[in-house]
Amino acid sequence: MSGLPIDITDGGAGSFYGLNGGNNALARPGWAAGVTSNTAVSNVPTGYFFNPFAFVRPVITTGQLIPSSNGTARADAPGTDIGNVGRNVLRGPKQTNVDFSIIKRFSIAESKNIEFRAEFFNLFNHVNLDNPISNLNVITSSGGSIEANTGRIINPGDFGRILATSNNPRLVELALKLNF
């Protein structure tokens, strides 16, 4: 199946609206200059699933117009706006899973039989990767950095990296059942 949607959030954005208290799903980053969802999945640095430099924290300095106010408000103090990145703009890694079972019944009498069952979950032991880390707050907590005045990502840390798998390894179950 196709990958799950990736929702890029920024817990540090939206201070003008009281949304920068942490992991708020309404606070979004902005697109870096000239970047779209198509270019965010091209020129991806090694070890990342998407280009983390495609996003910026929407920092507004004192006296600047606040973009989300449609030009009707100016910032009295430095802060962050709500970015222009929409919900679920990227897709995660594709998922593959094959389950298989086989059953054989052995008759003992007219109304009795023994059933042998073998079930295989993730038959080919395919590793499915989880979605990448998609909250800009992870940048500073994982050793990365964001330029305070422009919101530009300098070092993305773990933002955009895949650190986990989303499925189990191959599992095999054998069962023997007496029906009477």
Side-chain angles (χ1 to χ4, degrees), residues 3-7 91-93 129-133 161-164 166:
L4 296 172
I6 300 173
D7 196 18
R91 283 277 183 196
L129 300 175
D130 203 1
N131 271 358
I133 295 174
R161 290 186 193 268
I162 295 175
L163 301 178
S166 64

Side-chain angles (χ1 to χ4, degrees), residues 14-151:
S15 67
F16 291 128
Y17 302 99
L19 299 176
N20 66 338
N23 193 6
N24 192 315
L26 296 174
R28 307 239 175 247
W31 292 110
V35 175
T36 65
S37 61
N38 292 332
T39 57
V41 293
S42 61
N43 298 327
V44 178
T46 304
Y48 291 88
F49 185 75
F50 57 80
N51 188 346
F53 300 105
F55 304 95
V56 294
R57 179 164 283 158
V59 174
I60 309 296
T61 57
T62 304
Q64 264 189 321
L65 285 174
I66 301 172
S68 63
S69 72
N70 293 323
T72 61
R74 286 195 186 278
D76 292 338
T80 55
D81 194 12
I82 296 173
N84 58 0
V85 173
R87 288 186 68 235
N88 304 328
V89 293
L90 302 175
R91 283 277 183 196
K94 294 181 179 180
Q95 306 289 305
T96 303
N97 190 40
V98 176
D99 296 337
F100 179 75
S101 70
I102 188 164
I103 301 168
K104 175 67 177 166
R105 287 193 183 100
F106 301 96
S107 293
I108 298 173
E110 188 174 325
S111 63
K112 296 178 185 166
N113 64 50
I114 291 179
E115 181 179 285
F116 175 73
R117 177 186 306 248
E119 295 176 331
F120 302 87
F121 301 96
N122 194 7
L123 177 67
F124 301 117
N125 204 23
H126 184 270
V127 175
N128 287 318
L129 300 175
D130 203 1
N131 271 358
I133 295 174
S134 59
N135 188 332
L136 264 73
N137 276 358
V138 171
I139 293 173
T140 53
S141 65
S142 64
S145 56
I146 297 176
E147 191 174 300
N149 295 332
T150 62

